[in-house]
Amino acid sequence: MASNEKSKGTKLIQYANGPSLEEINSTVKVPKGKGFWPTLLAYSGPGALIAVGYMDPGNWSTSITGGQNFQYMLMSIILLSSLVAMLLQYMAAKLGIVTQMDLAQAIRARTSKSLGIVLWILTEFAIMATDIAEVIGAAIALYLLFHIPLVIAVFITVFDVLLLLLLTKIGFRKIEAIVVCLILVIILVFVYQVALSNPDWGGIVKGLIPSAATFSDSPSVGGQTPLTGALGIIGATVMPHNLYLHSAISQTRDIDHNDEDQVAQSVRFSGWDSNIQLTGAFFVNALLLIMGVAVFKSGSVKDPSFFGLFAALSDTSTLSNGLLIGVAKSGILSTLFAVALLASGQNSTITGTLTGQVIMEGFVHLRMPLWLRRLVTRLISVIPVLICVMLTSGKSQIDEHRALNDLMNNSQVFLAFALPFSMLPLLLMTDSKAEMGERFRNRLWLRILGWFSVISLTVLNMKGLPAQIEAFFGNNATKSQLMTADYISYALIAAFVGLLLWTVIELYHGNQKISNIQSK
């Protein structure tokens, strides 16, 4: 028996059906009977790991381009996206704390094995889509900072697995601290650059109020309308994998689940932690949009890729005032931008890997070491980036930059497709008395806001899907290609609706079984 256990323990891929992220589950002690601030400090950390997903490299281009094209109009979209994110992340943390299951485990426990496998594959694609943005962001940052050729820089991003190996040895609390430090680097860089630009604060406040023009199909600026700009920001902001991750890492605090008051305290302070950190993410995305308006002259950024933004921050002809021009001559603006980009990519490395483990264990009950998990997903994500770099190596530099930027933006289509399959189950389960109990189920106002958010995001993502598919054919697509893109998008929407109905029906029956068991 002992030899069998030892043999089982040495396998790289093992069966797993225990607590979520078992190595770190309930490992962080929290004080009892202390004041608000000491208790909040003990619960602070998971929210930072979640906030990372809301300020990753995929957000940068959409926010800055939105500012360039429509001034402060899309500030309201960043605000609304952040508020929806706070609502959903609170529900995810509550689900994990109250049920002691992460979202993947909870879905799998109430659905069939076949649906679990389908949802696992769908979520893996969403994680890989975000990983592509991280590869591109980190590789470009290395190229810009150290002049490392792009192909080599792409391969170097694979070795961030060594960083992950180091982090797994130092404890989860220290990982949280490192992530917070990297977030502060990003915030400070953009605060500094925006402060130099002296933006129109009145225009910023006015932009926070949504209007009909925000969701209009006109005007079209640089091939973008306010609606497509809004959809881009929403798609890059609210990400499905964050809901799975939060429901898992909210369980890292050591509490007595038999004491309902302790559970309530954990839910409360996890909500505070999440909202504070997501407020920071809101400011980062707002600062990015303000950069597009105030740091650069209107319409001066012709290349919205990371290369183009780096160049624009050192080009005195694109900057909006003399103070910025004076600082830009030293090269500090562009260098700080690249440093923030590298910090953003490394932060996403940590959270993406943890999420991958959560969904693999939850949906298909399999586990592999974090380093192997990271290596496999990163190598898969590197392939399309390398193909893109090699296909454009003989073309002009601007074509290479545009191709990488298009790849990053187009990869986000999987996020729009996968998001409802995390949002809807989360809402159904946290609305349920059978799942959460009377004390912790969503209050009426939460249910109303939750359903409004889920339906709105789903409709907007599906509305924007044809345009996202058309983008795969480039800026000069033929009529035939546009028709093909529309047929593909309609087929995807049909598959999406069918899969969503399958998920809802199985979750409903699963919830009914739990209710029947509890009533006996």
Side-chain angles (χ1 to χ4, degrees):
M1 177 67 72
S3 62
N4 287 340
E5 289 296 324
K6 185 176 180 181
S7 172
K8 181 181 177 182
T10 58
K11 291 180 180 178
L12 285 177
I13 300 179
Q14 302 175 22
Y15 177 78
N17 195 21
S20 182
L21 294 177
E22 192 167 3
E23 336 54 82
I24 58 176
N25 194 290
S26 300
T27 57
V28 179
K29 301 293 182 183
V30 292
K32 296 178 182 178
K34 299 292 185 181
F36 177 85
W37 295 109
T39 308
L40 178 60
L41 182 62
Y43 278 96
S44 296
L49 273 74
I50 299 308
V52 164
Y54 293 92
M55 58 178 89
D56 75 345
N59 294 65
W60 293 32
S61 178
T62 55
S63 294
I64 293 177
T65 304
Q68 272 280 290
N69 292 342
F70 305 110
Q71 299 295 294
Y72 298 112
M73 183 190 297
L74 299 182
M75 282 289 292
S76 60
I77 300 300
I78 293 176
L79 176 61
L80 290 172
S81 297
S82 298
L83 292 174
V84 170
M86 290 177 187
L87 180 71
L88 294 173
Q89 296 298 163
Y90 168 73
M91 291 181 186
K94 183 169 67 170
L95 176 74
I97 294 165
V98 175
T99 67
Q100 298 181 66
M101 288 189 292
D102 60 55
L103 181 58
Q105 291 173 327
I107 294 173
R108 179 66 183 85
R110 289 149 186 81
T111 56
S112 63
K113 182 178 179 180
S114 54
L115 180 59
I117 291 173
V118 171
L119 294 178
W120 171 58
I121 293 170
L122 183 65
T123 312
E124 287 283 9
F125 275 123
I127 291 174
M128 288 175 190
T130 61
D131 210 33
I132 286 173
E134 292 157 21
V135 170
I136 292 173
I140 292 175
L142 291 171
Y143 169 82
L144 296 174
L145 288 170
F146 308 110
H147 307 292
I148 299 171
L150 268 178
V151 172
I152 297 173
V154 169
F155 276 113
I156 288 175
T157 66
V158 175
F159 291 99
D160 67 10
V161 69
L162 299 176
L163 172 66
L164 193 68
L165 268 174
L166 174 65
L167 291 177
T168 57
K169 303 295 183 185
I170 66 174
F172 191 70
R173 198 69 172 137
K174 293 185 177 67
I175 292 176
E176 292 173 344
I178 291 170
V179 169
V180 169
C181 290
L182 290 173
I183 289 174
L184 288 174
V185 168
I186 298 168
I187 292 175
L188 289 173
V189 166
F190 293 135
V191 165
Y192 174 68
Q193 296 193 350
V194 167
L196 292 177
S197 69
N198 191 26
D200 174 12
W201 295 108
I204 292 170
V205 172
K206 184 180 177 182
L208 291 170
I209 303 170
S211 64
T214 309
F215 298 98
S216 173
D217 283 323
S218 62
S220 178
V221 181
Q224 186 184 63
T225 66
L227 176 62
T228 57
L231 290 172
I233 289 172
I234 291 168
T237 302
V238 186
M239 295 188 175
H241 64 280
N242 266 340
L243 303 178
Y244 292 100
L245 180 61
H246 205 182
S247 62
I249 60 176
S250 63
Q251 301 177 54
T252 55
R253 271 49 187 174
D254 184 16
I255 63 171
D256 180 5
H257 284 86
N258 295 316
D259 184 341
E260 205 171 81
D261 289 335
Q262 277 198 45
V263 174
Q265 175 181 274
S266 187
V267 170
R268 177 191 173 206
F269 281 97
S270 293
W272 271 103
D273 170 47
S274 174
N275 289 340
I276 290 169
Q277 304 289 358
L278 288 174
T279 300
F282 160 72
F283 280 114
V284 168
N285 288 315
L287 288 168
L288 284 164
L289 187 140
I290 294 168
M291 275 185 67
V293 181
V295 172
F296 307 109
K297 293 176 183 176
S298 180
S300 64
V301 180
K302 305 300 181 185
D303 178 4
S305 71
F306 295 137
F307 299 98
L309 294 170
F310 180 87
L313 284 168
S314 55
D315 182 355
T316 56
S317 67
T318 65
L319 299 175
S320 62
N321 65 47
L323 182 58
L324 279 167
I325 290 170
V327 176
K329 288 178 180 178
S330 68
I332 190 67
L333 291 182
S334 54
T335 300
L336 286 175
F337 176 83
V339 168
L341 182 59
L342 189 59
S344 177
Q346 289 312 303
N347 256 348
S348 301
T349 289
I350 299 167
T351 57
T353 307
L354 289 172
T355 308
Q357 183 174 339
V358 169
I359 65 163
M360 178 178 267
E361 290 185 16
F363 281 127
V364 293
H365 300 323
L366 294 177
R367 174 190 298 161
M368 64 172 64
L370 281 178
W371 66 266
L372 180 60
R373 159 94 213 171
R374 184 59 184 172
L375 193 60
V376 171
T377 54
R378 178 48 60 95
L379 285 173
I380 293 172
S381 302
V382 155
I383 292 170
V385 182
L386 283 175
I387 291 172
C388 183
V389 171
M390 289 188 286
L391 287 177
T392 56
S393 60
K395 298 183 179 180
S396 67
Q397 196 174 64
I398 191 71
D399 285 336
E400 183 182 69
H401 297 175
R402 187 177 290 116
L404 279 172
N405 202 52
D406 288 345
L407 173 62
M408 182 177 66
N409 292 334
N410 292 339
S411 68
Q412 307 302 296
V413 68
F414 292 110
L415 301 180
F417 197 69
L419 185 58
F421 296 95
S422 55
M423 288 192 304
L424 192 58
L426 175 65
L427 191 56
L428 287 170
M429 284 187 279
T430 53
D431 280 352
S432 169
K433 181 180 176 181
E435 304 281 356
M436 306 295 291
E438 186 60 46
R439 181 171 181 178
F440 297 109
R441 67 181 297 201
N442 294 332
R443 297 287 179 260
L444 178 61
W445 67 272
L446 272 178
R447 291 201 291 274
I448 293 171
L449 288 176
W451 279 107
F452 177 77
S453 300
V454 168
I455 292 170
S456 299
L457 284 175
T458 302
V459 170
L460 285 171
N461 276 324
M462 291 305 101
K463 185 176 181 180
L465 189 60
Q468 288 180 301
I469 300 298
E470 289 171 7
F472 281 93
F473 292 96
N475 295 326
N476 300 312
T478 63
K479 186 176 180 180
S480 173
Q481 288 174 326
L482 292 176
M483 287 181 63
T484 301
D486 288 340
Y487 289 140
I488 292 171
S489 62
Y490 297 147
L492 285 174
I493 290 172
F496 162 83
V497 172
L499 184 56
L500 202 58
L501 286 173
W502 182 14
T503 304
V504 170
I505 290 169
E506 290 210 3
L507 283 171
Y508 173 77
H509 288 306
N511 191 58
Q512 287 295 105
K513 288 179 182 178
I514 291 174
S515 298
N516 292 336
I517 291 170
Q518 290 180 349
S519 63
K520 289 180 180 178

